Amino acid sequence: MSNGTILIADDDHRIVKIVSHSLEQEGYRVITAKNGEEAVQLATTMKPDLVIMDIMMPHLDGLEASQKIKMKVDVPIIILSAKDDVVDKIVGFKMGVDDYQTKPFSPAELALRVKAVLRRSKLVPEVKNKEVLEYPNFYIEYATRLVRIWGQEITLTAKEFDMLWLMASHPNQIFSRLQLLEQIWESHFEGDEDTVTVHIRRLRRKIERDAAKPELIKTVWGVGYKFEAAKE
């Protein structure tokens, strides 16, 4: 029995062969694309359970292809890149990418990332004990990803929503940046904590009446962040 279908998009045939073999050994069905345009087409028509996307590809690069896929299909994406650049990672996460693997990599490590991302995307989050969170002037639905604050409907990226849902599910609980990395990205590397800072900043710009004076997501200096219910 297949554990799911994985789309691998990479113009390097050697990497495609190695990754395909590794994932097939783990029980996954693998389909492949040699460029970004083909990846978008296959992801839209085949609807795989997960996409592994190289950044540097002909016709359409991996980040652009990922953005197009995310607009059409709700599928988790792991980016492959030869660049170990935090800027590339932040750009990818801003666009809704679910994980980031730098080349060269171990096929076994990538397989573990695939399992973790699939588990996170398919299972109900541990913090989710109900479908709706509602506070004064604050309403959020998990199933529809609807967010309404102070009468305004807010559009969030996947990671922004997950972060808001996690924190709003535990009002007044302080989360460190490392804890948020572990909960939202299942990452344990302290060097990636800047990703959390960027997402908090972007989230505040969208949900706060004044991002410079946040009322919902408060900073606890030297510790982390916490959610406080919206006030009148």
Side-chain angles (χ1 to χ4, degrees):
M1 180 181 293
S2 173
N3 288 330
T5 299
I6 310 296
L7 168 60
I8 303 172
D10 198 316
D11 60 336
D12 187 325
H13 301 297
R14 183 183 61 85
I15 288 179
V16 170
K17 183 177 180 179
I18 293 172
V19 174
S20 296
H21 177 73
S22 175
L23 293 176
E24 287 168 348
Q25 290 291 103
E26 295 291 333
Y28 297 104
R29 173 177 175 247
V30 175
I31 55 178
T32 64
K34 59 183 177 295
N35 59 62
E37 289 181 353
E38 188 177 353
V40 174
Q41 181 181 10
L42 285 174
T44 304
T45 56
M46 301 293 289
K47 294 182 172 56
D49 296 285
L50 182 140
V51 176
I52 297 174
M53 181 82 70
D54 184 40
I55 284 187
M56 301 301 293
M57 288 191 295
H59 304 305
L60 192 67
D61 71 51
L63 290 178
E64 291 178 298
S66 296
Q67 189 174 38
K68 288 180 179 291
I69 289 171
K70 286 286 191 179
M71 293 173 63
K72 298 179 179 181
V73 185
D74 184 16
V75 59
I77 297 176
I78 298 176
I79 284 289
L80 300 180
S81 175
K83 299 178 180 179
D84 187 12
D85 190 336
V86 69
V87 174
D88 285 332
K89 291 183 180 181
I90 291 173
V91 170
F93 286 132
K94 284 181 180 178
M95 297 171 72
V97 167
D98 297 84
D99 205 350
Y100 195 105
Q101 177 69 67
T102 303
K103 297 178 182 178
F105 57 86
S106 159
E109 179 187 356
L110 181 58
L112 288 174
R113 287 182 182 271
V114 167
K115 288 181 181 179
V117 172
L118 283 174
R119 183 174 65 249
R120 188 167 68 239
S121 66
K122 289 186 175 182
L123 297 181
V124 178
E126 294 179 3
V127 302
K128 179 181 171 294
N129 53 20
K130 53 184 177 180
E131 291 291 332
V132 173
L133 297 175
E134 192 168 6
Y135 303 105
N137 297 301
F138 181 98
Y139 180 87
I140 179 172
E141 289 182 2
Y142 183 85
T144 63
R145 302 253 157 173
L146 172 66
V147 178
R148 187 181 297 114
I149 303 175
W150 289 300
Q152 298 292 320
E153 191 168 323
I154 311 296
T155 300
L156 302 178
T157 67
K159 293 302 184 188
E160 289 167 353
F161 181 91
D162 290 344
M163 184 178 292
L164 180 60
W165 180 271
L166 171 64
M167 298 180 73
S169 298
H170 300 84
N172 298 313
Q173 177 177 328
I174 301 172
F175 291 89
S176 69
R177 291 193 298 172
L178 189 56
Q179 285 176 320
L180 290 171
L181 269 176
E182 292 173 347
Q183 291 284 341
I184 306 301
W185 286 273
E186 291 196 359
S187 172
H188 304 272
F189 302 102
E190 294 185 15
D192 290 337
E193 289 183 18
D194 285 344
T195 299
V196 174
T197 304
V198 170
H199 276 74
I200 289 288
R201 186 183 306 126
R202 288 172 58 85
L203 185 56
R204 280 172 168 165
R205 287 173 182 167
K206 293 183 178 182
I207 69 173
E208 300 284 0
R209 288 188 282 195
D210 182 353
K213 299 177 181 178
E215 301 171 66
L216 300 174
I217 298 181
K218 300 290 187 70
T219 298
V220 182
W221 297 107
V223 183
Y225 306 97
K226 68 175 182 177
F227 174 87
E228 291 187 0
K231 299 181 175 61
E232 297 292 341

